[in-house]
Every structure is written in C-alpha cells, then in structure tokens.
Amino acid sequence: MSRFAQVATGVAGGAIAWTLTEYAVHRWLLHGPFGQRSERGGLVGRIPIGGIHRNHHRDPNWSVVWGRAAGHLAMAATGAAGTRVALAIAPRLPTVLTVAAGATWSAGYSTYDIVHHHLHHRAPRTRLGVHMRQRHFRHHFAGARTNLGVTTGIWDRLFGTEADPRPVRLPAATAPWWLDALGDEFSTRAQSRHAA
Ligand SMILES: [Zn+2]
Ligand SMILES: [Zn+2]
C-alpha cells in the first residue's frame, strides 16, 4: 500500500472509530454505569467523568477549563498508547496507517470537545450549526437516551436512538440567548403551539 493510501485509510478508519467511541461511551458508560446509579457512591461513582457528565446535564452551560484541557491531553496520550499497543500486538500492521488512525482518533476527541462546547456556548451561523444544536438539545431536554452522537447522527440512526422531532421545552434559567435561531419547536414556554 502506498504511503498516501495508508494515510487516507488510517484517517478514515480513525474517524469512524472515534465517532463510534463517542456514541458508545456516551450511551453505555456516561448514561450507563456512570449515570444515575453511581450517584450513590462506590468505585464507579468516584471516577470523575461520570460526575462531569451529570453536572453537564444539570447545567449545560457548566464548563471547567482544566477538565477540558486534561481531556485533550489524556485522549492524545490514549491514542498514542493505543497505536503503540496495536503495533506491538500486530507488528505486520502498516505503521503509517496505524499511526494515522491513532492520531485521527485522538483528533476526533478534540474535535468533539470543541464542537460540543460551541453547541452550547455559541450562536449557530450555518444550517448545519442549527441542525447540530437541535439534535444535541433534544438529547439534553427531550430524552437523554436519544441523540447520543454529538459530532454525527450516523450511529443514532444505525442503532435506532435518533430522537423524534417533537417540540422541546428548555428551562429558562439555562436556555441560551440565541434559542430563537433553532426555530419555534424550541422554547422556554410551558406549551409549544405544536403540542397536542
Ligand atoms: Zn451537551
Ligand atoms: Zn448525555
């Protein structure tokens, strides 16, 4: 395989692997063992990512800079370590392809974190930006078991967890000032005009 083909395949594989990781961790860990049950304590309850995610659901505007910075570094290290382990276990793997996949996986996390921060803290400027905020706000305010993918909805559609496009009510205290940009399905009023 040429060097270019290795990079292209590695980047594509790393991107697919990241988006699946994002979906799986959010669905089966953060809304699984790290979800409600762990609030009672125990080993799982002491792992900070569960608490960070629960706080994020209580107040979506809550954000800790050190936590985000640590996440970027930890996930870069995890990608690098995973690449080394993969090459140690399977030395016949093409090195350039494996390094490209590991680097893209880590970059996928950083992209996710920046995108997610923007979804809550910045007004949308494009139709895609509106769509992504609508999807993610449904996860927060219409059903936490739906729309578990943040950077892409592909895995939600594949696993059947894409939310229905019903009207969504947000608590006025945490609603962003640009909420109107998401259309009249998203409101802080008790009853949407579309509600039955
Ligand atoms: Zn969020
Ligand atoms: Zn969540």
PDB file of all heavy atoms in Angstrom, residues 26 31 53 57 139 144 148, ligand 2:
ATOM      1  N   HIS A  26     -20.795   7.522  25.429  1.00  0.00           N
ATOM      2  CA  HIS A  26     -21.912   8.345  25.885  1.00  0.00           C
ATOM      3  C   HIS A  26     -23.122   7.465  26.238  1.00  0.00           C
ATOM      4  O   HIS A  26     -23.756   7.642  27.280  1.00  0.00           O
ATOM      5  CB  HIS A  26     -22.268   9.359  24.793  1.00  0.00           C
ATOM      6  CG  HIS A  26     -23.144  10.476  25.256  1.00  0.00           C
ATOM      7  ND1 HIS A  26     -23.651  11.418  24.407  1.00  0.00           N
ATOM      8  CD2 HIS A  26     -23.628  10.808  26.486  1.00  0.00           C
ATOM      9  CE1 HIS A  26     -24.388  12.272  25.085  1.00  0.00           C
ATOM     10  NE2 HIS A  26     -24.390  11.921  26.357  1.00  0.00           N
ATOM     11  N   HIS A  31     -24.258   7.306  30.280  1.00  0.00           N
ATOM     12  CA  HIS A  31     -25.671   7.102  30.614  1.00  0.00           C
ATOM     13  C   HIS A  31     -25.906   5.658  31.018  1.00  0.00           C
ATOM     14  O   HIS A  31     -27.035   5.187  31.034  1.00  0.00           O
ATOM     15  CB  HIS A  31     -26.573   7.528  29.450  1.00  0.00           C
ATOM     16  CG  HIS A  31     -26.620   9.010  29.297  1.00  0.00           C
ATOM     17  ND1 HIS A  31     -27.337   9.837  30.137  1.00  0.00           N
ATOM     18  CD2 HIS A  31     -25.975   9.840  28.425  1.00  0.00           C
ATOM     19  CE1 HIS A  31     -27.149  11.098  29.776  1.00  0.00           C
ATOM     20  NE2 HIS A  31     -26.325  11.130  28.750  1.00  0.00           N
ATOM     21  N   HIS A  53     -20.193  14.573  33.519  1.00  0.00           N
ATOM     22  CA  HIS A  53     -21.321  14.468  32.591  1.00  0.00           C
ATOM     23  C   HIS A  53     -22.655  14.747  33.290  1.00  0.00           C
ATOM     24  O   HIS A  53     -23.528  15.393  32.719  1.00  0.00           O
ATOM     25  CB  HIS A  53     -21.340  13.098  31.907  1.00  0.00           C
ATOM     26  CG  HIS A  53     -22.200  13.099  30.678  1.00  0.00           C
ATOM     27  ND1 HIS A  53     -21.844  13.780  29.537  1.00  0.00           N
ATOM     28  CD2 HIS A  53     -23.424  12.574  30.423  1.00  0.00           C
ATOM     29  CE1 HIS A  53     -22.791  13.647  28.636  1.00  0.00           C
ATOM     30  NE2 HIS A  53     -23.767  12.923  29.137  1.00  0.00           N
ATOM     31  N   HIS A  57     -25.402  17.731  32.439  1.00  0.00           N
ATOM     32  CA  HIS A  57     -26.844  17.588  32.204  1.00  0.00           C
ATOM     33  C   HIS A  57     -27.646  18.475  33.148  1.00  0.00           C
ATOM     34  O   HIS A  57     -28.704  18.982  32.767  1.00  0.00           O
ATOM     35  CB  HIS A  57     -27.277  16.126  32.325  1.00  0.00           C
ATOM     36  CG  HIS A  57     -27.160  15.394  31.014  1.00  0.00           C
ATOM     37  ND1 HIS A  57     -28.168  15.367  30.079  1.00  0.00           N
ATOM     38  CD2 HIS A  57     -26.129  14.708  30.469  1.00  0.00           C
ATOM     39  CE1 HIS A  57     -27.772  14.672  29.019  1.00  0.00           C
ATOM     40  NE2 HIS A  57     -26.534  14.257  29.221  1.00  0.00           N
ATOM     41  N   HIS A 139     -31.170  15.777  23.004  1.00  0.00           N
ATOM     42  CA  HIS A 139     -30.531  14.846  23.953  1.00  0.00           C
ATOM     43  C   HIS A 139     -30.650  15.405  25.375  1.00  0.00           C
ATOM     44  O   HIS A 139     -30.981  14.671  26.311  1.00  0.00           O
ATOM     45  CB  HIS A 139     -29.051  14.646  23.596  1.00  0.00           C
ATOM     46  CG  HIS A 139     -28.288  13.903  24.662  1.00  0.00           C
ATOM     47  ND1 HIS A 139     -28.473  12.569  24.912  1.00  0.00           N
ATOM     48  CD2 HIS A 139     -27.363  14.326  25.572  1.00  0.00           C
ATOM     49  CE1 HIS A 139     -27.689  12.190  25.918  1.00  0.00           C
ATOM     50  NE2 HIS A 139     -27.009  13.241  26.335  1.00  0.00           N
ATOM     51  N   ALA A 144     -32.562  11.784  27.254  1.00  0.00           N
ATOM     52  CA  ALA A 144     -31.113  11.524  27.314  1.00  0.00           C
ATOM     53  C   ALA A 144     -30.740  10.170  26.709  1.00  0.00           C
ATOM     54  O   ALA A 144     -29.562   9.893  26.520  1.00  0.00           O
ATOM     55  CB  ALA A 144     -30.631  11.616  28.760  1.00  0.00           C
ATOM     56  N   LEU A 148     -27.312  10.304  21.036  1.00  0.00           N
ATOM     57  CA  LEU A 148     -26.099  10.149  21.854  1.00  0.00           C
ATOM     58  C   LEU A 148     -24.843  10.524  21.085  1.00  0.00           C
ATOM     59  O   LEU A 148     -23.808  10.810  21.687  1.00  0.00           O
ATOM     60  CB  LEU A 148     -26.040   8.720  22.386  1.00  0.00           C
ATOM     61  CG  LEU A 148     -27.198   8.514  23.386  1.00  0.00           C
ATOM     62  CD1 LEU A 148     -27.932   7.209  23.117  1.00  0.00           C
ATOM     63  CD2 LEU A 148     -26.712   8.577  24.805  1.00  0.00           C
TER      64      LEU A 148
HETATM   65 ZN    ZN B   2     -25.509  12.920  27.887  1.00  0.00          ZN
END
